[in-house]
Amino acid sequence: MTSTPATDRRVRLLGEPVDSYPDRAPEAARGRVLRITEVGEEVLHRPCRTVEEYGTPELARLVDDMFATMYAAAGVGLAANQADVDLRLFVYDCKDDDGVRHVGHLVNPVLDPPTEDRRLADATEGCLSVPGPRRELGRPERTVARGTDIHGRPLVLEGTGYFARCLQHETDHLNGMLYIDRLGKRDRRAVLAEMAEQREQVLAARVTRAEQLGLPQV
Ligand code: ZN
């Protein structure tokens, strides 16, 4: 990921434009780096539970930990079941194709149904739970995700380009689906073979990055 000069930065925090924002969400500084679950682990392959209790210290702590975990892995989004927690929420820090940076979290996300004139965009996609490989995958180029913040306040996130992809990828996770489940059988097998080769190196790089960022690891 390339960095943008601070003066040229456009940021949307929880869907709302803000004038400036730090390089990393402040939640990360309070968080711990958790182990990221991997393809094959049960928690990734079934729908997560709806969040019913808002505003709890546990939920705030989870968001802190998920931001720290995502940054240590150099990811742009992370779903709770990737942190081994069976709840419907994700965090994100992702630029769209217009260079706008989107940061925040979303609880109990639901995507608007696709419109009839929806257009698919192709781009390469990877997943922190399938460490290493990436593949090209077509997805709708716009999406709207509705949910709440951790205090239960309604949020609407509109995404285009790569951020639309991120919203779809993370919501898929919470429904028990990985991006490789959207690939053909042969391609899926090839991705898993590449992961087996690259996994160890990718996990080692995450440990190094967490140390560089000064994030405590569980
Ligand atoms: Zn993923």
Side-chain angles (χ1 to χ4, degrees):
M1 211 158 33
T2 55
S3 63
T4 313
T7 49
D8 190 31
R9 185 161 287 156
R10 290 176 295 156
V11 181
R12 279 182 171 259
L13 176 63
L14 297 168
E16 295 297 325
V18 291
D19 287 336
S20 66
Y21 199 72
D23 283 344
R24 279 179 292 282
E27 286 92 335
R30 303 188 293 257
R32 305 160 301 160
V33 177
L34 308 176
R35 183 184 73 87
I36 295 179
T37 55
E38 293 180 23
V39 52
E41 294 187 50
E42 203 251 339
V43 71
L44 288 176
H45 301 282
R46 58 174 159 83
C48 291
R49 287 182 301 124
T50 300
V51 174
E52 287 172 349
E53 262 195 282
Y54 297 100
T56 63
E58 290 78 17
L59 204 53
R61 182 82 190 263
L62 176 60
V63 168
D64 292 347
D65 289 346
M66 284 169 63
F67 267 108
T69 305
M70 177 179 74
Y71 289 136
V76 297
L78 187 80
N81 49 349
Q82 295 185 276
D84 208 10
V85 175
D86 171 29
L87 284 175
R88 293 184 68 81
L89 79 143
F90 61 76
V91 300
Y92 60 92
D93 187 340
C94 179
K95 276 191 183 167
D96 64 26
D97 298 359
D98 300 315
V100 178
R101 179 184 168 206
H102 300 263
V103 192
H105 66 269
L106 190 62
V107 175
N108 296 335
V110 177
L111 301 181
D112 280 5
T115 52
E116 277 189 16
D117 63 339
R118 71 169 188 173
R119 295 225 305 253
L120 293 184
D122 283 321
T124 46
E125 190 168 323
C127 179
L128 300 181
S129 294
V130 188
R134 299 173 65 83
R135 278 299 183 281
E136 188 150 298
L137 180 65
R139 288 191 186 264
E141 66 174 11
R142 302 183 63 90
T143 198
V144 177
R146 297 171 196 273
T148 71
D149 69 8
I150 54 171
H151 304 288
R153 289 185 285 252
L155 287 178
V156 180
L157 303 179
E158 294 185 44
T160 59
Y162 213 79
F163 183 51
R165 180 172 297 272
C166 172
L167 292 173
Q168 294 169 60
H169 179 114
E170 302 311 329
T171 304
D172 271 357
H173 268 302
L174 302 177
N175 294 330
M177 186 177 234
L178 302 178
Y179 85 98
I180 59 170
D181 300 329
R182 295 186 175 278
L183 301 174
K185 267 189 188 166
R186 278 178 61 174
D187 215 11
R188 190 182 197 280
R189 267 203 303 273
V191 166
L192 292 174
E194 284 171 38
M195 171 185 150
E197 274 180 27
Q198 298 170 19
R199 177 180 176 276
E200 214 166 308
Q201 205 178 342
V202 173
L203 297 194
R206 289 179 188 171
V207 172
T208 305
R209 188 173 161 84
E211 284 165 1
Q212 285 167 349
L213 296 175
L215 298 168
Q217 302 179 63
V218 174

